[in-house]
């Protein structure tokens, strides 16, 4: 059942004065002619008007508080909802459109640029008259934000890519070497259309770098991990190591432990001649399978050569 | 559809003097001044003026200002829709 008190936002103990004030405040806010085309506002206005009708004057309020029958209320509600174009009883905004009489004051020489110069033309002149083509008040189009995925290597070393924006435009994107995650690249004029001859907005392309399974970025350096065997760790070795642009041979010194870091120069982030380094962290791995005789040899060595790797002695 | 002033007054439940006041102030300009014929636009406009003054407590000085702005908004909307 419709509750006029809550529609107006007042307590059941509200005075007529408070009710009237509440009604006026809401009517000003939601009147359909002050919110043309806004159907929500119109519905709210009708609710508020109906509510005021029910409790806005002393007699009606008394009647309502006593409790009218539901049927009467429903009928009144329907009566109230009837205002609007469909019921032949239009709000002012519903009568307005191209070529209507009152709006023709503002429509001479229809074209967007003229319209805006009329409305927002040089300050200091009276409103309503043609102010002539003003230099101010053209509306630039809006900036539009797009997201773009970029490969780790592309982001590291730079590249070029042609992408198609959802608004249909093709964009040649130059990816600067070393670009950071989340950085936005601005492309002037690829955004929304301007109004009144105003310039187009820009396209903002937000870079998202796809994570790489083997490489991570640390500033200008690239970090990676290299598994090595027990024997390589003991004796040293020269092994191939993957970098973002190809494989290189790297010397592993003898007697290294896991966690040792080796540097490959100029295999990091940046452009030719200005690159950071790749930092390779060694990781000793045991063989996947260890035959029994291997294990036995190890255990013999262990009993003879056990050592403290944790430095507790 | 054209209606005569007194018809409109009866339909809306408005005092003829009130509506005449609106016309004298030139807030509403009847489509045919001599015969005082009002069209749908005029009737809806009269209702709006009535709402502004009687329902919303707007003072008379503000009425033409508000109407002026409302007319511009309606024109803008029509334009934006057609673009």
């Amino acid at each position: 059942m419709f509750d006029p008190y809550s529609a107006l936002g007042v307590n059941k103990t509200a005075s007529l004065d408070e009710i009237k004030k509440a009604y006026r405040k809401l009517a000003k806010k939601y009147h359909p002619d002050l919110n043309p085309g806004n159907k929500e506002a119109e519905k709210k206005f009708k609710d508020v008007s109906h509510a005021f009708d029910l409790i806005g004057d002393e007699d009606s309020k008394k009647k309502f508080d006593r409790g009218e029958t539901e049927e009467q209320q429903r009928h009144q509600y329907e009566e109230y909802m009837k205002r609007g174009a469909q019921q032949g009883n239009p709000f002012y905004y519903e009568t307005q459109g191209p070529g209507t009489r009152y709006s023709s004051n503002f429509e001479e020489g229809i074209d967007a640029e003229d319209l805006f110069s009329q409305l927002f033309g040089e300050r200091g002149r009276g409103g309503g008259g043609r102010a002539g083509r003003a230099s101010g008040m053209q509306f630039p189009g809006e900036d539009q934000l797009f997201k773009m995925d970029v490969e780790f290597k592309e982001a590291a070393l730079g590249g070029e890519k042609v992408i198609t924006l959802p608004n249909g435009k093709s964009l040649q994107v130059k990816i600067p070497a070393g670009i950071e995650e989340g950085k936005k690249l601005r492309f002037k004029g690829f955004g929304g259309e301007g109004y009144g001859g105003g310039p187009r907005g820009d396209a903002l392309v937000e870079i998202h770098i796809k994570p790489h399974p083997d490489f991570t970025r640390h500033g200008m350096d690239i970090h990676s991990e290299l598994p090595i065997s027990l024997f390589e760790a003991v004796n040293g070795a020269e092994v191939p190591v993957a970098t973002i642009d190809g494989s290189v041979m790297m010397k592993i010194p003898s007697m290294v432990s896991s966690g040792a870091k080796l540097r490959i120069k100029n295999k990091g982030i940046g452009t030719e001649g200005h690159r950071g380094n790749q930092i390779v962290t060694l990781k000793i791995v045991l063989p996947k399978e260890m035959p029994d005789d291997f294990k036995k040899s190890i255990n013999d060595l262990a009993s003879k050569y056990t050592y403290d790797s944790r430095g507790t002695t | 559809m054209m209606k005569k002033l007194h018809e409109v007054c009866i339909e809306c439940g408005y005092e003829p003097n009130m509506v005449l006041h609106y016309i004298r102030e030139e807030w509403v300009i009847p489509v045919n001044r001599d015969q005082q014929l009002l069209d749908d636009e005029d009737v809806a406009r009269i209702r709006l003026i009535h709402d502004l003054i009687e329902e919303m407590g707007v003072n008379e000085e503000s009425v033409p200002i508000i109407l002026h702005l409302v007319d511009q908004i309606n024109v803008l909307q029509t334009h934006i829709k057609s673009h």
Side-chain angles (χ1 to χ4, degrees), chain A residues 123-141:
Chain A
R123 280 181 138 205
R125 294 215 197 172
R130 286 190 62 157
R133 264 163 215 263
S135 53
M137 286 309 167
Q138 287 174 322
F139 290 80

Side-chain angles (χ1 to χ4, degrees), chain A residues 37-52:
Chain A
N38 184 338
K39 288 299 169 192
E40 266 185 58
E42 189 166 327
K43 167 89 184 21
K44 285 206 172 96
F45 177 76
K46 285 179 175 174
D47 283 344
V48 156
S49 302
H50 180 226
F52 187 66

Side-chain angles (χ1 to χ4, degrees), chain A residues 23 31 89 92 101-102 119, chain B residues 42 45 51 55 71-72:
Chain A
Y23 166 67
H31 194 285
N89 197 358
Y92 181 67
R101 283 188 302 118
Y102 291 97
L119 295 175
Chain B
D42 294 323
R45 198 171 171 89
D51 283 355
E55 307 284 306
D71 284 332
Q72 288 184 71

Side-chain angles (χ1 to χ4, degrees), chain A residues 148 154 158-162 171-177 179 185 187 207 271:
Chain A
M148 184 170 106
E154 275 177 317
E160 237 172 62
K161 227 174 158 126
V162 176
L171 205 55
Q172 189 171 42
V173 180
K174 191 154 185 269
I175 301 162
I179 190 159
L185 299 175
F187 296 88
I207 300 294
T271 53

Side-chain angles (χ1 to χ4, degrees), chain A residues 178-244:
Chain A
I179 190 159
E180 277 147 4
E181 173 70 25
K183 179 95 196 254
K184 295 183 179 78
L185 299 175
R186 182 178 284 270
F187 296 88
K188 287 193 87 66
F190 281 86
E193 261 195 56
Y195 270 120
R200 287 193 78 105
D202 302 335
L204 289 166
V205 180
E206 191 178 281
I207 300 294
H208 171 62
I209 303 174
K210 288 157 118 182
H212 196 290
D214 307 321
F215 303 117
T216 52
R217 178 178 175 168
H218 289 76
M220 291 301 275
D221 291 337
I222 290 176
H223 287 209
S224 67
E225 209 176 53
L226 183 69
I228 58 173
S229 73
L230 266 175
F231 310 118
E232 287 166 338
V234 170
N235 297 316
E238 198 167 340
V239 298
V241 175
T243 71
I244 55 169

Side-chain angles (χ1 to χ4, degrees), chain A residues 36-158:
Chain A
N38 184 338
K39 288 299 169 192
E40 266 185 58
E42 189 166 327
K43 167 89 184 21
K44 285 206 172 96
F45 177 76
K46 285 179 175 174
D47 283 344
V48 156
S49 302
H50 180 226
F52 187 66
D53 206 46
L54 284 174
I55 59 171
D57 69 81
E58 204 172 326
D59 287 337
S60 307
K61 186 172 186 291
K62 281 199 179 127
K63 232 175 154 187
F64 179 83
D65 290 342
R66 258 183 274 135
E68 287 187 4
T69 64
E70 236 181 276
E71 211 183 290
Q72 264 185 310
Q73 280 214 341
R74 211 187 313 131
H75 174 73
Q76 275 200 323
Y77 191 73
E78 278 163 13
E79 280 300 305
Y80 234 97
M81 289 303 124
K82 275 190 186 164
R83 185 156 173 203
Q86 289 180 339
Q87 265 66 15
N89 197 358
F91 286 104
Y92 181 67
Y93 83 88
E94 290 168 306
T95 68
Q96 296 303 294
T100 45
R101 283 188 302 118
Y102 291 97
S103 52
S104 65
N105 291 328
F106 304 105
E107 280 212 54
E108 276 161 13
I110 294 170
D111 92 72
E113 204 171 321
D114 250 37
L115 174 69
F116 279 87
S117 65
Q118 275 181 52
L119 295 175
F120 303 108
E122 297 150 38
R123 280 181 138 205
R125 294 215 197 172
R130 286 190 62 157
R133 264 163 215 263
S135 53
M137 286 309 167
Q138 287 174 322
F139 290 80
E142 15 166 74
D143 284 350
Q144 291 172 334
L145 180 65
F146 305 101
K147 291 196 178 171
M148 184 170 106
D149 279 343
V150 158
E151 298 293 338
F152 187 90
K153 180 175 173 177
E154 275 177 317
L157 302 180

Side-chain angles (χ1 to χ4, degrees), chain B residues 10-72:
Chain B
I10 293 169
E11 212 178 273
C12 301
Y14 295 160
E15 287 287 310
N17 277 331
M18 185 189 82
V19 179
L20 279 167
H21 177 57
Y22 297 171
I23 294 171
R24 260 182 259 120
E25 291 291 331
E26 296 194 331
W27 299 336
V28 173
I29 299 167
V31 61
N32 184 312
R33 283 185 126 139
D34 299 324
Q35 295 182 50
Q36 299 220 315
L37 286 175
L38 303 162
D39 69 5
D40 286 342
E41 269 194 80
D42 294 323
V43 176
R45 198 171 171 89
I46 289 167
R47 282 187 195 271
L48 172 58
I49 297 166
H50 172 268
D51 283 355
L52 285 170
I53 298 174
E54 306 300 329
E55 307 284 306
M56 293 184 253
V58 166
N59 71 35
E60 297 220 346
E61 294 298 317
S62 307
V63 168
I65 298 172
I66 295 170
L67 291 175
H68 185 89
L69 291 170
V70 163
D71 284 332
Q72 288 184 71

